[in-house]
Amino acid sequence: AANPALHTSIDRLDDIMANVETATNALSVTMRNVAPVSSQLPTLVGNVDQITANLATASEDLAALAADIQKMPLDSTVNSLCAITQNLEQITTALNSRNSSLGMLIYDPSLYNNLDNTAAHLDSILIDLKRQPKKYIPAIKVF
């Protein structure tokens, strides 16, 4: 009679061999799938190298830009803009004042009416000048 432990060991060896065969088949399929990808590796590596070079160039450009920005007189530029803004506010306030020339034109209706009447009179004088030029320009005698 056979030893039962020997029989159990042989059954285990059969299971192990079946698992090894399954793993070998799976590894074979995986290797077939990896082969096309591995043939593309040089292209992929080249692309990664190009991307890295582009990133390095972009990084250098950003560093140069940052250096240029640091050299700019931003404080004095901002101060100048603030001064210009204050001057514009003062000018606007003065122009909007009823006492300024523009303010008087804007807010004083009598000045507007006088200018409007003057323009109307000038227009009628010009019309009359066209109709009767001799009235305004005397005839010159030629000898």
Side-chain angles (χ1 to χ4, degrees):
N3 185 349
L6 184 60
H7 193 323
T8 303
S9 294
I10 291 174
D11 286 343
R12 283 189 186 156
L13 280 175
D14 286 341
D15 289 342
I16 291 171
M17 290 306 292
N19 286 338
V20 168
E21 186 176 344
T22 302
T24 303
N25 290 337
L27 184 60
S28 178
V29 169
T30 302
M31 291 305 290
R32 280 193 302 269
N33 291 335
V34 168
V37 173
S38 66
S39 68
Q40 295 175 356
L41 282 178
T43 303
L44 293 172
V45 170
N47 289 344
V48 169
D49 287 344
Q50 183 63 43
I51 291 168
T52 302
N54 290 344
L55 287 174
T57 301
S59 176
E60 290 170 5
D61 291 345
L62 285 174
L65 178 63
D68 288 344
I69 288 173
Q70 286 178 346
K71 292 176 188 174
M72 291 178 151
L74 293 178
D75 288 342
S76 63
T77 303
V78 170
N79 290 338
S80 295
L81 285 173
C82 287
I84 290 169
T85 302
Q86 289 173 348
N87 288 339
L88 286 174
E89 287 175 4
Q90 291 172 353
I91 291 169
T92 303
T93 300
L95 289 175
N96 287 329
S97 168
R98 292 184 179 270
N99 297 327
S100 70
S101 298
L102 186 60
M104 287 181 191
L105 281 172
I106 293 172
Y107 299 113
D108 187 358
S110 64
L111 183 57
Y112 168 79
N113 292 333
N114 287 337
L115 286 172
D116 190 47
N117 287 334
T118 302
H121 285 91
L122 183 59
D123 187 48
S124 61
I125 289 172
L126 290 173
I127 290 171
D128 192 43
L129 177 65
K130 285 181 182 178
R131 285 185 193 155
Q132 305 176 42
K134 291 182 181 179
K135 179 179 175 182
Y136 298 96
I137 303 170
I140 299 175
K141 294 181 183 180
V142 179
F143 299 99

